[in-house]
Amino acid sequence: MQLLVDKFPYKTLEDGSCEMLKDNQCSVYEDRPLICNVRLGGKLLGVDQDIWYAMLADGCNTLIREAGLDEKYLVSLKK
Ligand code: SF4
């Protein structure tokens, strides 16, 4: 996973967002990096989809808390 992050091709802006995020949508969605393709990443790694999504949500929430962002940005998975 770390390798995927190391090769991320886009810059992070001062507010922490990706430079390719335009009007709250990915402007390169069809050609987005593998790390951004949540569904495909889990399949490639052979991880059960529910477990994969829970892992990603946990990682995102850790980053959100570490950045001191408002709790309204926390990821909540529907069950
Ligand atoms: S999906 Fe990936 S490339 Fe697209 S805006 Fe989000 S972080 Fe950037």
Side-chain angles (χ1 to χ4, degrees):
M1 180 62 77
Q2 189 60 41
L3 285 176
L4 296 175
V5 174
D6 288 347
K7 293 180 180 176
F8 193 73
Y10 304 118
K11 293 178 188 164
T12 302
L13 303 181
E14 272 188 39
D15 67 359
S17 67
C18 173
E19 67 175 332
M20 303 314 286
L21 187 65
K22 311 286 183 199
D23 297 323
N24 259 354
Q25 293 190 338
C26 177
S27 61
V28 293
Y29 186 79
E30 294 301 325
D31 298 312
R32 66 197 183 283
L34 180 59
I35 191 69
C36 301
N37 190 329
V38 172
R39 190 172 299 171
L40 184 59
K43 283 184 182 170
L44 287 174
L45 294 172
V47 179
D48 175 82
Q49 190 177 30
D50 288 343
I51 294 171
W52 178 243
Y53 286 170
M55 289 169 62
L56 293 176
D58 200 39
C60 288
N61 288 339
T62 297
L63 292 172
I64 288 167
R65 288 190 175 102
E66 285 178 0
L69 297 177
D70 192 292
E71 297 247 330
K72 70 181 179 186
Y73 295 114
L74 292 175
V75 177
S76 174
L77 299 177
K78 295 179 181 173
K79 295 184 178 182

